[in-house]
Amino acid sequence: MEEIATDYTSIYNKVNRLKDLPDFPQPDDYGVTREEIHDYLLDKEEVKERAGSVKSQYTTMGLLLILPVLVLSAFDKKSLPWGDYAIFLGILCGLVLVLIYTSVVKAIVRKKFSTLYDENIEKYIAAVMAYNQEVK
């Protein structure tokens, strides 16, 4: 399933600008109402934002990456199984934590998109995005 190619405002603004043109796709032709489209687009935006901004995702991944290294640094090198090379174990554990985090976030967002998916509204959105107004 594809994500929405553009954001809520660009689709909604295009509909509001061009809705009175005779050849512009009408929601009734797709079995949906304007309110349903409005709610659907807002819900999709909310799901996209649920994962957080790119900056907050990178911050979280960075913290998860260094967390095991910080924990290992609390112990004496001689008490760790591989001594000086235990740092690599910490980095490996951090990478595993980052992989788990990104997988869980992607799975949650994918699940939300799949439960939200409405074929009629998606067809309408595709028709709106494909509509090209000819300059007369």
Side-chain angles (χ1 to χ4, degrees):
M1 177 176 57
E2 290 181 22
E3 286 188 38
I4 279 186
T6 55
D7 63 352
Y8 160 79
T9 54
S10 65
I11 295 170
Y12 202 71
N13 288 342
K14 187 173 185 177
V15 169
N16 282 336
R17 251 190 0 252
L18 305 174
K19 66 183 176 189
D20 295 328
L21 295 177
D23 59 340
F24 188 74
Q26 297 300 318
D28 297 338
D29 298 339
Y30 293 86
V32 295
T33 64
R34 291 193 67 201
E35 292 79 22
E36 288 173 335
I37 295 167
H38 175 75
D39 293 342
Y40 183 77
L41 291 171
L42 283 178
D43 289 344
K44 284 199 99 159
E45 282 292 313
E46 182 181 320
V47 170
K48 284 178 13 182
E49 292 171 0
R50 181 177 297 265
S53 67
V54 173
K55 183 179 178 180
S56 69
Q57 287 181 4
Y58 282 147
T59 301
T60 303
M61 288 188 276
L63 290 173
L64 288 173
L65 184 64
I66 65 167
L67 184 66
V69 175
L70 291 175
V71 169
L72 287 175
S73 69
F75 297 101
D76 185 30
K77 288 181 188 178
K78 295 175 184 170
S79 67
L80 295 173
W82 294 301
D84 289 338
Y85 298 108
I87 186 88
F88 297 116
L89 176 66
I91 293 171
L92 181 65
C93 289
L95 287 172
V96 169
L97 286 175
V98 168
L99 180 65
I100 291 170
Y101 168 75
T102 55
S103 298
V104 168
V105 168
K106 284 182 181 182
I108 289 171
V109 168
R110 199 174 313 119
K111 175 73 173 162
K112 295 283 186 184
F113 273 133
S114 68
T115 58
L116 185 64
Y117 184 77
D118 185 328
E119 188 174 351
N120 291 335
I121 296 176
E122 287 292 335
K123 286 180 182 178
Y124 177 73
I125 291 171
V128 166
M129 295 310 296
Y131 180 81
N132 290 322
Q133 180 186 15
E134 294 180 18
V135 179
K136 295 180 180 181

